[in-house]
């Protein structure tokens, strides 16, 4: 008994000491920041999910530093939404202008010397909405997700965690990650998932993620949205048993819709988007062994598309796709601001590119000008 009584305070003391140590570490960091030319930017905000708050963290730091990702809540895990290396933003690393120019030149030379090919391959296979016109941006989400997603905290070092970046010059690394509360994540098999409206949708991880995934029994999900709404599943991190030498899969992740297979694969991938054609899809994880030591998967489910908008007065919907809607004025009329008969709205990330309630009504076209 006496032994127990003595050890408990010791444990507390130890905890207190380590806490103090981290506090001092932080205090020191804060002291360093103003005297060093480089800086560090962090903003945090909360996003309401149906099951609680999700913390969103945005950070910018020089790519030659270790990035520390942490979630304040122990009952939340990291999920990397965006990670970009911005080669032309070097001021965050504290370069003087002369050095900056020299470095920039060096990098440009490097790009010319066929490095561009390598770096493009390293961007991962995320599907980009925009043309990749910006050559100075490099998407490093895939390696961030591999290293950090599913963890409570994580340390990321670009040059050792993203293959092929050893010779990239120090520049801004912009990062956006979410601390997803465990309760907001569906992690049990054989449930029906109703997809909430809104941009974020929800997340699902395979049981055991990111340590292992189970098998030997049926493990599947049904996703449902409202009639007329299509579904997007994004595998932000897929990591199951690699294919055999002949390319065949032992374990497999499969997405089906009305008896058609939309997606089926094994191995490792990040950023794969699957878009359904209806409001109901099923997902199955088919694994042969009871437990397999790979990460499994983390995916996001969302409703595709923007709010339904009806045609402004005097016009009708002349063309409608998943990502755009064209309104045309009835014959002889035009939209007053553009003087054009047609108006195209584009749906991006759940929002129309023009405020819907600002759409003007068609007016008669003046015969003569
Ligand atoms: C980086 O390059 C892009 C495109 O060339 C430009 O729009 C942006 O302003 C540049 N940023 C800096 C900090 O130079
Ligand atoms: C990051 O990793 C590289 C390569 O392993 C190493 O040389 C470098 O010191 C690391 N950076 C930091 C800040 O620890
Ligand atoms: C999607 O559904 C529409 C009608 O709901 C149908 O006309 C179209 O052929 C379907 N496309 C695919 C690829 O199944
Ligand atoms: C969108 O709105 C129009 C008119 O308000 C309606 O006719 C149409 O059925 C709606 N579409 C969906 C998918 O709700
Ligand atoms: C639409 O336009 C017609 C004729 O220009 C008008 O009579 C009608 O009230 C308008 N409807 C709305 C909702 O503004
Ligand atoms: C919205 O996107 C369409 C198609 O790209 C474009 O024609 C239109 O000008 C855009 N509208 C605005 C307000 O940017």
């Amino acid at each position: 008994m006496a032994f127990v009584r003595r050890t408990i305070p010791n444990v507390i003391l130890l905890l207190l000491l380590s806490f103090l140590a981290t506090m001092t570490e932080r205090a020191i960091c804060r002291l360093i920041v103003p005297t060093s030319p480089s800086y560090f930017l962090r903003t945090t905000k909360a996003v309401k999910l149906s099951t609680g708050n999700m913390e969103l963290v945005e950070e910018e730091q020089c790519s030659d530093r270790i990035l520390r990702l942490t979630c304040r809540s122990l009952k939340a895990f990291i999920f990397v939404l965006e990670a970009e290396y911005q080669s032309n933003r070097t001021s965050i690393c504290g370069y003087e202008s002369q050095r900056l120019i020299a470095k920039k030149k060096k990098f440009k030379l490097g790009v010319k010397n066929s490095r561009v090919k390598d770096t493009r391959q390293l961007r991962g296979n995320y599907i980009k909405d925009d043309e990749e016109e910006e050559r100075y941006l490099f998407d490093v989400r895939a390696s961030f997700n591999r290293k950090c997603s599913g963890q409570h905290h994580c340390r990321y070092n670009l040059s050792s965690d993203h293959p092929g970046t050893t010779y990239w010059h120090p520049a801004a690394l912009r990062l956006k990650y979410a601390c997803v509360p465990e309760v907001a994540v569906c992690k049990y098999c054989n449930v029906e998932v109703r997809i909430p409206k809104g941009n974020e949708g929800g997340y699902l991880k395979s049981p055991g993620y990111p340590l292992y995934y189970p098998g030997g029994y049926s493990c599947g999900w049904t996703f449902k949205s409202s009639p007329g709404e299509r579904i997007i599943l994004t595998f932000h991190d897929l990591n199951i048993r690699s294919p055999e030498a002949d390319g065949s899969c032992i374990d497999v992740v499969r997405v089906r819709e009305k008896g058609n297979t939309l997606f089926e694969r094994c191995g490792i991938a990040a950023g794969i988007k699957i878009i359904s054609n209806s409001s109901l899809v099923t997902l199955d994880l088919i694994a042969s062994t009871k437990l397999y030591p790979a990460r499994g998967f983390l995916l996001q489910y969302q409703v595709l598309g923007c709010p339904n908008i009806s045609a402004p007065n005097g016009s009708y919907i002349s063309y409608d796709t998943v990502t755009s809607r064209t309104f045309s004025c009835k014959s002889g009329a035009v939209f007053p601001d553009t003087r054009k008969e047609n108006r195209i709205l584009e749906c991006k990330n759940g929002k129309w590119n023009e405020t819907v309630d600002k759409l003007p009504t068609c007016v008669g076209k003046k015969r003569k000008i």
Side-chain angles (χ1 to χ4, degrees), residues 146-171:
R146 215 164 25 243
K147 176 98 194 217
C148 300
S149 284
Q151 313 286 343
H152 293 293
H153 56 84
C154 160
R155 288 160 51 96
Y156 180 91
N157 175 347
L158 182 74
S159 70
S160 59
D161 291 327
H162 196 93
T165 57
T166 320
Y167 301 108
W168 288 14
H169 68 257

Side-chain angles (χ1 to χ4, degrees), residues 6-26:
R6 274 184 65 87
T7 48
I8 287 171
N10 280 348
V11 168
I12 291 169
L13 189 70
L14 260 176
L15 281 175
L16 197 70
L17 275 177
S18 61
F19 177 66
L20 277 177
T22 55
M23 286 305 285
T24 340
E25 197 180 13
R26 257 188 229 148

Side-chain angles (χ1 to χ4, degrees), residues 329 334-344 354 360 363:
C329 289
V334 289
F335 287 102
D337 50 349
T338 58
R339 313 296 307 168
K340 284 190 177 137
E341 277 171 41
N342 298 321
R343 195 176 197 101
I344 305 168
E354 197 168 345
V363 295

Side-chain angles (χ1 to χ4, degrees), residues 100-210:
L100 184 147
I101 289 159
K103 286 263 177 186
K104 261 190 181 166
K105 270 196 186 135
K106 231 180 184 174
F107 185 68
K108 275 207 183 113
L109 278 177
V111 167
K112 270 199 191 122
N113 294 343
S114 83
R115 275 247 307 280
V116 70
K117 240 189 194 162
D118 303 5
T119 46
R120 272 183 184 269
Q121 280 167 2
L122 289 166
R123 291 189 194 192
N125 52 3
Y126 272 86
I127 301 162
K128 281 215 145 189
D129 284 340
D130 298 318
E131 271 297 302
E132 291 182 284
E133 77 275 0
E134 309 110 333
R135 215 181 48 185
Y136 66 100
L137 286 183
F138 298 95
D139 191 337
V140 292
R141 263 179 298 186
S143 60
F144 259 104
N145 264 325
R146 215 164 25 243
K147 176 98 194 217
C148 300
S149 284
Q151 313 286 343
H152 293 293
H153 56 84
C154 160
R155 288 160 51 96
Y156 180 91
N157 175 347
L158 182 74
S159 70
S160 59
D161 291 327
H162 196 93
T165 57
T166 320
Y167 301 108
W168 288 14
H169 68 257
L173 195 55
R174 195 184 64 81
L175 177 69
K176 186 170 167 184
Y177 63 95
C179 286
V180 185
E182 295 277 357
V183 291
V185 179
C186 180
K187 51 178 183 269
Y188 302 106
C189 295
N190 307 321
V191 292
E192 188 183 292
V193 182
R194 284 221 71 102
I195 307 184
K197 296 211 187 285
N199 274 348
E200 274 301 313
Y203 297 90
L204 182 142
K205 56 182 183 175
S206 51
Y209 182 91

